[in-house]
């Protein structure tokens, strides 16, 4: 190398990663931890994770796994006992028929999603993503060099994509559609009829894979859940993503899975075998206990989230300039805030929802996430997976901060 050439740090970073956005949910949460470390009393409504500890019987199973020396490499797609427990769950709760061989256990649903996308999307393939959508979907498609085709929805449509919108988004290059119900970040839950209408559009397109993110399945206040895998017309090309993070308050244990057509499951196993191997042995044994043990903990946590949903909807609806719908699942509220945009706090102009999220962090000490990170500028996201006291205090602080704008 000629000595005169100067290299910057970024020269060492691949274009692939340079082009990738950082996770805004994790970044905002990190920022709020930093402020906390400086002694600022921040209420963190940015990251979405249950605030409950993992149920005792699940923790006990993990301790037993340690004592029983589950300390060796695990099979790449997961222990057969866990894959069987997942197949049983899919049959029992969702009426779906998957063989254990079609289940691939991963380090969180995040890896399961990324495995499926990297295993099926070729450069230039289009992936339809109705927005608002969880921050990582578009970035994972970018990693696969696919093209994310976003289809915007809004609060007036309860954030649901219509069959007409879906039909208009399909092209000869469409490879996949990603759907999340109950949704992060909106909390919307598609009814069976709404899903059927989307399936009717997809049925004549056997080349399109349906990637169904059902991680919030059990945080659902409607009393009914329809898995996208339950439509016979498209079942053979539907991939289900789920895991223990949300339903069993196990975000840190990092266990998720895909249930997929066998060829896709094998491809995910091949991929995972080259870059992470099987997921943690101890966490897999804990997840097995989650699926095979009593499900009372799931119902109890859902009831607590529902109560908080009612509280936060009531309080957020009173904040001037916030338009709020009633989320039917997950633990997020996604108010439309465009009436606040253009207002000022001294010299500071709140021009975008990103400015608003930053203003709320710095002036109200409440961490939220800019809707733009979910492909929906003009909105912000709160997670209400925190105590009633925190929620009351956070909403009071936001309300006061908004009223200080002029
Ligand atoms: N999908 C959605 C919609 C999520 O909100 C999350 C939470 N991060 C995930 C997938 C990934 O979950 P996990 O913790 O299992 O990786
Ligand atoms: N799903 C959570 C969220 O959206 C966790 C953070 C993340 O992985 O994005 O806040």
């Amino acid at each position: 190398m000629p000595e005169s050439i100067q290299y910057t740090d970024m020269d060492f970073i691949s274009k692939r990663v340079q082009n990738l956005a950082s996770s805004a949910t994790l970044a905002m949460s990190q920022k709020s931890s930093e402020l906390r470390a400086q002694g600022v009393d921040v209420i963190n409504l940015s990251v979405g994770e249950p605030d409950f500890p993992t149920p005792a019987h699940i923790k006990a199973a993990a301790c037993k796994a340690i004592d029983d020396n589950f300390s060796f490499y695990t099979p790449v797609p997961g222990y057969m006992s866990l894959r069987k427990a997942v197949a049983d769950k899919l049959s029992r709760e969702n009426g779906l028929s998957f063989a254990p061989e079609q289940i691939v256990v991963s380090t969180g649903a995040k890896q399961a999603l990324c495995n499926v996308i990297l295993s099926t999307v070729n450069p230039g393939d289009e992936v339809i993503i109705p927005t608002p959508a969880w921050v990582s979907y578009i970035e994972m498609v970018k990693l696969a060099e696919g093209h994310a085709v976003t289809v915007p929805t809004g609060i007036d449509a309860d954030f649901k994509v219509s069959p007409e919108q879906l039909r208009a988004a399909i092209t000869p290059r469409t490879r996949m559609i990603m759907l999340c119900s109950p949704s992060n970040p909106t909390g919307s839950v598609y009814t069976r009829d709404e899903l059927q209408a989307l399936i009717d559009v997809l049925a004549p397109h056997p080349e399109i894979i349906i990637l169904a993110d059902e991680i919030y399945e059990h945080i659902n206040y409607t009393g009914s859940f329809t898995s996208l895998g339950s439509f016979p017309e498209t079942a053979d090309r539907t991939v289900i993503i789920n895991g223990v993070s949300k339903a069993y308050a196990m975000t840190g244990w990092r266990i998720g899975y895909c249930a997929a057509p066998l060829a896709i499951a094998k491809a995910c196993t091949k991929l995972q075998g080259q870059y992470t191997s099987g997921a943690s042995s101890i966490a897999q044994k804990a997840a097995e206990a989650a699926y095979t043990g009593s499900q009372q903990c799931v119902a109890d946590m859902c009831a607590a989230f529902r109560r908080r949903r009612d509280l936060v909807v009531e309080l957020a609806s009173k904040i001037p300039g916030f338009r709020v719908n009633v989320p039917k699942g997950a633990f997020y509220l996604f108010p439309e805030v465009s009436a606040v945009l253009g207002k000022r706090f001294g010299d500071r102009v709140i021009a975008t929802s990103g400015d608003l999220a930053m203003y709320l962090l710095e002036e109200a000490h409440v961490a939220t996430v800019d809707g733009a990170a979910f492909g929906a500028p003009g909105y912000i996201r709160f997670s209400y997976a925190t105590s009633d006291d925190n929620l009351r205090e956070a909403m009071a602080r936001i309300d006061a901060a908004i009223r200080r704008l002029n």
Side-chain angles (χ1 to χ4, degrees):
M1 286 293 163
E3 265 180 30
S4 56
I5 297 181
Q6 295 294 308
Y7 286 89
T8 68
D9 287 354
M10 288 314 281
D11 290 323
F12 296 115
I13 307 303
S14 67
K15 293 281 177 291
R16 183 183 305 110
V17 172
Q18 287 196 38
N19 290 338
L20 202 64
S22 294
S23 166
T25 44
L26 299 180
M28 203 62 176
S29 188
Q30 173 68 23
K31 215 178 218 49
S32 92
S33 304
E34 283 164 17
L35 281 173
R36 258 176 184 279
Q38 291 163 24
V40 182
D41 165 31
V42 176
I43 301 177
N44 185 3
L45 306 186
S46 62
V47 75
E49 66 174 335
D51 57 326
F52 301 108
T54 300
H57 68 283
I58 300 176
K59 292 196 284 195
C63 294
K64 181 168 182 326
I66 294 172
D67 290 341
D68 290 350
N69 295 315
F70 280 89
S71 52
F72 300 94
Y73 283 132
T74 60
V76 173
Y79 287 129
M80 190 40 98
S81 54
L82 174 56
R83 296 162 82 200
K84 279 189 178 142
V86 169
D88 286 350
K89 171 259 181 269
L90 290 168
S91 162
R92 185 178 68 238
E93 295 185 346
N94 309 113
L96 306 183
S97 168
F98 281 96
E101 290 72 19
Q102 293 177 271
I103 315 291
V104 180
V105 175
S106 296
T107 301
K110 205 175 231 179
Q111 187 187 14
L113 278 163
C114 206
N115 277 345
V116 174
I117 292 169
L118 288 172
S119 296
T120 58
V121 173
N122 282 311
D125 283 353
E126 293 178 359
V127 177
I128 296 175
I129 304 180
T131 55
W134 181 45
V135 293
S136 295
Y137 292 169
I138 291 175
E139 301 308 315
M140 289 176 181
V141 171
K142 272 180 15 196
L143 269 185
E145 297 176 61
H147 175 55
V149 175
T150 53
V151 181
T153 73
I155 195 165
D156 295 316
D158 195 23
F159 301 108
K160 290 174 183 166
V161 66
S162 69
E164 296 72 31
Q165 282 180 300
L166 176 57
R167 192 173 292 114
I170 294 174
T171 78
R173 305 212 67 163
T174 307
R175 180 70 169 154
M176 173 182 279
I177 171 167
M178 296 180 73
L179 263 191
C180 180
S181 175
S183 158
N184 177 2
T186 67
S188 294
V189 180
Y190 285 83
T191 64
R192 184 162 190 96
D193 287 351
E194 287 165 345
L195 291 178
Q196 181 68 63
L198 299 179
I199 293 294
D200 290 345
V201 174
L202 294 166
H205 291 282
E207 71 286 5
I208 300 180
I209 296 166
I210 301 169
L211 184 52
D213 185 346
E214 302 188 342
I215 189 91
Y216 293 97
E217 169 185 11
H218 287 295
I219 305 169
N220 178 347
Y221 319 123
T222 68
S224 92
F225 172 74
T226 301
S227 169
L228 261 173
S230 64
F231 295 89
E233 306 92 305
T234 49
D236 61 352
R237 54 192 161 94
T238 300
V239 179
I240 307 293
I241 301 290
N242 209 328
V244 293
S245 285
K246 315 289 168 169
Y248 301 94
M250 293 177 69
T251 48
W253 297 77
R254 311 304 306 125
I255 296 292
Y257 62 83
C258 73
L262 192 57
I264 296 179
K266 283 185 174 168
C268 290
T269 303
K270 181 159 86 167
L271 179 65
Q272 184 162 293
Q274 289 291 18
Y275 83 115
T276 57
S277 300
S280 152
S281 53
I282 315 298
Q284 285 194 54
K285 295 311 281 180
E288 195 181 317
Y291 285 122
T292 55
S294 163
Q295 301 300 302
Q296 189 57 43
C297 55
V298 178
D300 291 347
M301 288 189 273
C302 182
F305 289 131
R306 184 190 187 123
R307 211 173 27 71
R308 293 163 177 187
R309 187 274 313 259
D310 292 344
L311 174 67
V312 86
V313 165
E314 184 200 327
L315 298 174
S317 311
K318 294 182 188 149
I319 299 176
F322 277 31
R323 222 153 55 91
V324 167
N325 71 334
V326 179
K328 307 288 191 309
F331 34 60
Y332 305 104
L333 191 69
F334 203 66
E336 200 255 354
V337 296
S338 52
V340 176
L341 305 184
K343 296 196 178 221
R344 292 171 168 274
F345 178 65
D347 294 344
R348 183 172 191 163
V349 182
I350 309 297
T352 65
S353 46
D355 295 342
L356 180 64
M358 211 39 81
Y359 168 72
L360 293 178
L361 179 63
E362 288 167 8
E363 297 296 329
H365 299 157
V366 179
T368 61
V369 185
D370 176 12
F374 305 93
Y379 294 83
I380 58 172
R381 189 191 80 172
F382 314 138
S383 161
Y384 56 84
T386 188
S387 69
D388 290 16
D389 284 352
N390 268 348
L391 289 174
R392 283 183 204 284
E393 174 64 17
M395 292 304 126
R397 289 187 194 181
I398 293 175
D399 187 88
I402 297 289
R403 287 176 199 275
R404 284 202 292 274
L405 298 174
N406 48 43

